[in-house]
Amino acid sequence: MKMNLPNKLTILRMIMVPIFMAVMAVPELFEIGETAHVICNIVGVVLFVAASLTDMLDGKIARKYNLVTNFGKFMDPLADKLMVIGAMLMILYKSDYEAIHPVFIWATVAVIFRELTVTGIRMLAVQGDGKVIAANMLGKIKTVLQIVCICAVIIEPLIYQIPGIAFPEFLTQYVPVSMVTTVAMIVITVWSGINYVVGGAKYIRPDQ
């Protein structure tokens, strides 16, 4: 079966995830200089942003040219999950982001629990009604905020490393932008998860 452009972009996004993770892991796995370390992080965030842009493009193209398919409805959210969870795991893995780790680990738990729950409901919906549930607006907002948060967490420490600029110590110690976006991401992730469970309650009845 011939794959349309939106679905090709979705598959491309899935392929970019392990590449992004490999690039981000290089400084932790090998002894490289500080400059190379920073370059890896910059390349990593560029790859992540590029992958995020494919998420925006595939949906717009699919809707504009009436290329919406069940494959896309299922694979697009899955690609988003892989992208976001892969990035969050790398942030927890890398020592560069230790300042945010105490909060970010709870964000990661919230995201994983939410995505597993939503995936389970989607599977039940397919088995019960043969219906593929597409992402709703709150879910899309959640994904955008997750992307913004991850970009902030990766970029903020890089800004504080700009030579010749003396940043206040509390910025490097508390990374306020990362903290605020992470808390906001936790809230919207939990909210969208609850909304999805309420909306999909008919598929998770124990008597079925």
Side-chain angles (χ1 to χ4, degrees), residues 100-123:
I100 194 70
H101 281 177
V103 176
F104 206 78
I105 190 168
W106 293 109
T108 305
V109 169
V111 168
I112 291 175
F113 270 62
R114 187 266 182 196
E115 302 306 350
L116 287 175
T117 301
V118 168
T119 299
I121 293 174
R122 281 198 172 122
M123 291 176 64

Side-chain angles (χ1 to χ4, degrees), residues 120-171:
I121 293 174
R122 281 198 172 122
M123 291 176 64
L124 289 173
V126 171
Q127 292 174 356
D129 292 348
K131 179 181 178 182
V132 178
I133 304 176
N136 58 26
M137 182 53 65
L138 187 58
K140 293 175 182 177
I141 294 172
K142 176 267 306 177
T143 300
V144 170
L145 187 53
Q146 288 175 345
I147 291 170
V148 170
C149 172
I150 290 166
C151 289
V153 171
I154 297 175
I155 293 171
E156 188 171 14
L158 294 175
I159 293 175
Y160 301 150
Q161 295 178 41
I162 296 175
I165 302 179
F167 291 96
E169 185 179 348
F170 83 90
L171 291 178

Side-chain angles (χ1 to χ4, degrees), residues 98-101 103 156 160 168-180 182:
E98 286 181 349
I100 194 70
H101 281 177
V103 176
E156 188 171 14
Y160 301 150
E169 185 179 348
F170 83 90
L171 291 178
T172 58
Q173 184 176 357
Y174 296 108
V175 283
V177 176
S178 298
M179 288 288 184
V180 170
T182 299

Side-chain angles (χ1 to χ4, degrees), residues 9-49:
L9 289 172
T10 297
I11 297 300
L12 175 62
R13 183 158 73 257
M14 297 177 74
I15 293 172
M16 292 177 72
V17 172
I19 298 174
F20 157 79
M21 296 179 71
V23 170
M24 293 291 285
V26 166
E28 302 292 329
L29 298 175
F30 305 100
E31 293 184 5
I32 61 176
E34 186 62 31
T35 300
H37 189 149
V38 172
I39 289 173
C40 283
N41 287 349
I42 293 174
V43 172
V45 77
V46 169
L47 286 171
F48 182 79
V49 170

